[in-house]
């Protein structure tokens, strides 16, 4: 878990072991705290999935409810992890522009 948390940018990873989702924030203004909390929650969830070492991770609408600035960071993280770990990822998304930016190939159903 330590390595997975580090890969997703949560450092030091030990700081996140016993924290609950509502405790994942650090900022001064409400909007900044919300963005930070979103970043941390997404990264913790991604790290949790990486621990299982999946052959084909399935990602269901990974950024659907995130603030625009956090969306870009999360997508960049998923792409970086895909390249670093050599993963193929199945992404389910209602956002076609997102699909074209992160997927190869794109299948529409």
């Amino acid at each position: 878990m330590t390595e997975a948390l580090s890969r997703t940018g949560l450092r030091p990873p030990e700081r996140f072991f016993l924290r609950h989702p509502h405790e994942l924030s650090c900022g001064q203004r409400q909007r900044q705290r919300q963005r930070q909390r979103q970043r941390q929650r997404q990264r913790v969830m991604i790290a949790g999935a990486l621990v299982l070492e999946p052959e084909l991770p399935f990602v269901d609408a990974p950024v659907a409810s995130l603030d625009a600035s956090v969306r870009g960071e999360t997508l960049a993280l998923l792409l970086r992890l895909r390249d670093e770990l050599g993963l193929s990822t199945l992404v389910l998304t209602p956002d076609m522009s997102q699909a074209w930016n992160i997927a190869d190939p794109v299948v529409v159903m």
Side-chain angles (χ1 to χ4, degrees), residues 7-75:
R7 278 188 187 273
T8 60
L10 295 172
R11 295 184 183 99
E14 297 80 13
R15 185 174 136 208
F16 298 91
F17 286 162
L18 300 176
R19 294 180 72 186
H20 297 279
H22 69 278
E23 297 173 322
L24 297 176
S25 69
C26 67
Q28 296 177 0
R29 297 189 176 131
Q30 183 178 4
R31 190 73 169 153
Q32 289 173 331
R33 284 192 302 252
Q34 180 184 5
R35 287 183 188 137
Q36 185 66 24
R37 189 170 30 251
Q38 287 178 340
R39 284 183 193 100
Q40 290 177 348
R41 284 181 183 168
Q42 286 299 101
R43 289 169 186 251
V44 166
M45 296 304 293
I46 293 168
L50 290 176
V51 167
L52 301 174
E53 298 180 359
E55 291 182 24
L56 181 65
F58 177 78
V59 184
D60 184 5
V63 296
S65 63
L66 298 177
D67 186 83
S69 65
V70 180
R71 284 182 189 182
E73 292 175 13
T74 302
L75 291 174

